[in-house]
Amino acid sequence: MNSLGKLYGVGIGPGDTELLTIKAVNVLNSVEVIFTPRAAPTRDSIARKIIEPVLDNKKKIKELTFPMTKQKEELEYYWAEAASEVENVLKEGKNAAFVTLGDPFLYSTFIYLYRKIRERNPLVEIVTLPGISSIFASASAAGIPIASGSEKVAIIPLSRDVNQIKPYLDMFDTIFILKVGDKLQDLVDLLSRLELADKSVLVQKVSQAGLQRVIRNLPELREDELREVGYLSTVIVKKA
Ligand SMILES: C[S@@+](CC[C@H](N)C(=O)[O-])C[C@H]1O[C@@H](n2cnc3c(N)ncnc32)[C@H](O)[C@@H]1O
């Protein structure tokens, strides 16, 4: 018999507590420990804010730190630390949940944890619960149908050289551009050059109470505004 606890990767949606699935709420209230990711020990956890209103026992939350760094060695260290903390709970025979914003299998910290735990302990049962991705919530907030008929859709994380997205802008009908951050100015310049700026919408902090912004006139924003709205934002380009 497997005496290890079960691990749930729970997608908790993009911000609004009401976008949690019933299954997510049931699992969060059934497990002994809930792990939430945060970027630094001093940073507020968005995930925590989303789930706290539906929890019947707030004491079981443990925060795990995943710094926003691209340094492979540093990341490796934090993933291994996080995996050990989760494994310690599972080894006590307790079930645990690791929550992620949006969906757990889309550019999420959970994917690293999932791989790490699989690699170190193949006997652990891991169940993934899908969540409403920021992609879907952003399209709804902007009133942009994602695809109909034979339209093709792309999801692209923006790299430092924004020109790399050009082929996708060519090939696809709807393009979701994630991880915009401080590259927004370069992206807007590129979209303007390609005459796609008026077909682009930025959605920031979708479904987060009082914080959501939907911006359609990107080229008219000042430099400082562009810097500010890039964080936790998705740009949707809809060509048709
Ligand atoms: C690491 S990915 C995580 C995606 C997440 N797993 C999901 O399904 O939404 C982070 C990127 O998703 C987008 N994103 C996440 N939350 C968002 C939100 N509330 N509003 C708009 N975009 C968001 C941004 O492009 C951000 O840079």
Side-chain angles (χ1 to χ4, degrees), residues 5-229:
K6 203 191 270 190
L7 174 64
Y8 293 89
V10 181
I12 58 169
D16 182 351
T17 300
E18 291 187 359
L19 291 181
L20 277 163
T21 64
I22 295 171
K23 195 156 201 156
V25 175
N26 289 341
V27 164
L28 292 176
N29 280 321
S30 76
V31 296
E32 274 104 327
V33 180
I34 298 169
F35 291 98
T36 61
R38 65 177 170 178
T42 48
R43 281 239 189 144
D44 264 5
S45 155
I46 303 174
R48 199 180 179 118
K49 276 196 197 141
I50 297 174
I51 61 171
E52 267 186 349
V54 299
L55 296 184
D56 49 26
N57 174 5
K58 294 186 173 71
K59 284 187 215 115
K60 61 185 180 183
I61 295 184
K62 284 192 179 177
E63 292 189 335
L64 295 175
T65 304
F66 295 91
M68 296 227 227
T69 173
K70 291 205 167 107
Q71 296 295 319
K72 233 178 158 235
E73 272 171 28
E74 200 186 344
L75 281 174
E76 191 59 42
Y77 168 81
Y78 280 98
W79 292 330
E81 285 288 295
S84 300
E85 259 202 71
V86 174
E87 278 167 1
N88 287 342
V89 169
L90 303 178
K91 281 179 190 159
E92 289 170 19
K94 294 178 179 166
N95 292 337
F98 181 89
V99 302
T100 52
L101 291 179
D103 184 85
F105 272 168
L106 187 75
Y107 299 118
S108 150
T109 321
F110 176 66
I111 299 170
Y112 301 106
L113 190 74
Y114 177 88
R115 289 188 179 138
K116 200 97 269 93
I117 291 183
R118 271 266 162 280
E119 179 189 301
R120 288 157 48 141
N121 207 330
L123 290 180
V124 172
E125 188 181 346
I126 309 181
V127 178
T128 304
L129 302 186
I132 295 181
S133 172
S134 57
I135 285 175
F136 297 115
S138 297
S140 289
I144 295 177
I146 296 174
S148 59
S150 57
E151 285 178 345
K152 296 182 286 308
V153 181
I155 302 170
I156 323 269
L158 197 59
S159 52
R160 189 59 45 205
D161 176 7
V162 300
N163 288 305
Q164 287 183 10
I165 68 165
K166 266 164 125 179
Y168 305 100
L169 293 169
D170 248 10
M171 279 162 53
F172 291 87
D173 302 287
T174 314
I175 303 99
F176 289 89
I177 305 167
L178 308 188
K179 305 189 182 183
V180 175
D182 61 357
K183 294 151 306 211
L184 184 57
Q185 175 79 70
D186 291 347
L187 176 64
V188 172
D189 291 346
L190 174 72
L191 293 170
S192 300
R193 280 201 303 281
L194 299 174
E195 296 184 0
L196 288 171
D198 59 340
K199 296 178 166 49
S200 305
V201 180
L202 177 141
V203 184
Q204 186 184 35
K205 298 183 182 170
V206 70
S207 92
Q208 294 183 11
L211 300 174
Q212 174 179 304
R213 292 181 72 181
V214 178
I215 301 173
R216 294 172 202 277
N217 53 344
L218 285 169
E220 289 165 30
L221 293 189
R222 294 191 317 265
E223 219 174 282
D224 57 323
E225 289 173 313
L226 282 171
R227 265 200 305 276
E228 195 201 314
V229 296

